[in-house]
Amino acid sequence: MPSVPEEVQVRPGVEADLKALTDIYNHYVRETAVTFDTVAFLPEERRPWLLSHLKDGPHRLMVARERDSAARPGRLLGYATSSPFRPKPAYSTSVEVSVYCAPDAAGRGIGTLLYKALFEALADEDLHRAYAGVAQPNEASVRLHERFGFRHVGTYGEVGRKFGRYWDVAWYELALDPSPGPSPGPEADLAPGPGPRP
């Protein structure tokens, strides 16, 4: 992996980053199946997403930015997020993580730098698992997640349709708190009956 230049800094995302964040994401919306969004966003439409990622807590937004120089201001190279995995309360100790790099910043170690900063920021949070869905094929993303210890736990076959074809999504899991949870109670031996999805 190439070394990351010293002039790259990683910090929490702020509202002033909104346009650049939206531009990066829209590239993947328009040009790839990496995301299953199909219509590009205006920055104002992405504002609630940005504001849902705080500077503390389990839902974070980290950005990689070139440092400002005398010649020009630094530009955003990519970002990583941890977001709610599911809305139901029992999922609160799980997050879904993702990383997006500017197209010309791919292969420079920016994704690794962002995930390193994100997981360091989350280290003291009450989190147990991180999940990542990777639309297939995407070898670079698979390698990145495996580098951080994610393991493949399953694949949803042809779960999304974009650009006139169906795409699989491979799911990866990372233990954030390796300590065992509390012992299951006696109800753990009961087989669950039919009911709504967990």
Side-chain angles (χ1 to χ4, degrees), residues 32-48:
T32 78
V34 166
T35 174
F36 286 175
D37 278 315
T38 58
V39 177
F41 289 85
L42 296 172
E44 283 304 310
E45 294 173 314
R46 292 284 282 173
R47 185 180 305 279

Side-chain angles (χ1 to χ4, degrees), residues 77-144:
L77 300 173
Y79 66 93
T81 60
S82 59
S83 302
F85 178 65
R86 294 279 190 274
K88 296 178 182 179
Y91 288 114
S92 66
T93 59
S94 295
V95 290
E96 184 172 347
V97 297
S98 60
V99 62
Y100 290 89
C101 293
D104 61 345
R108 292 175 49 189
I110 302 298
T112 299
L113 189 68
L114 283 163
Y115 260 1
K116 181 175 183 296
L118 178 66
F119 292 124
E120 286 174 359
L122 296 176
D124 294 328
E125 298 297 333
D126 180 24
L127 291 174
H128 189 58
R129 293 286 186 268
Y131 294 92
V134 180
Q136 297 298 301
N138 190 338
E139 283 302 316
S141 185
V142 169
R143 283 194 307 270
L144 173 66

Side-chain angles (χ1 to χ4, degrees), residues 7 66-74:
E7 63 270 12
E66 291 174 333
R67 294 186 192 275
D68 294 341
S69 70
R72 62 182 173 87

Side-chain angles (χ1 to χ4, degrees), residues 1-107:
M1 176 190 69
S3 61
V4 179
E6 289 183 10
E7 63 270 12
V8 175
Q9 68 173 145
V10 177
R11 58 162 173 76
V14 296
E15 199 157 353
D17 299 321
L18 182 59
K19 184 183 183 312
L21 289 165
T22 305
D23 289 345
I24 289 173
Y25 188 67
N26 280 343
H27 163 78
Y28 291 95
V29 172
R30 286 189 295 259
E31 305 295 330
T32 78
V34 166
T35 174
F36 286 175
D37 278 315
T38 58
V39 177
F41 289 85
L42 296 172
E44 283 304 310
E45 294 173 314
R46 292 284 282 173
R47 185 180 305 279
W49 165 84
L50 184 143
L51 296 177
S52 72
H53 294 88
L54 307 175
K55 289 189 178 179
D56 56 13
H59 306 136
R60 305 284 185 105
L61 165 63
M62 305 300 291
V63 301
R65 189 175 189 90
E66 291 174 333
R67 294 186 192 275
D68 294 341
S69 70
R72 62 182 173 87
R75 66 187 183 94
L76 208 69
L77 300 173
Y79 66 93
T81 60
S82 59
S83 302
F85 178 65
R86 294 279 190 274
K88 296 178 182 179
Y91 288 114
S92 66
T93 59
S94 295
V95 290
E96 184 172 347
V97 297
S98 60
V99 62
Y100 290 89
C101 293
D104 61 345

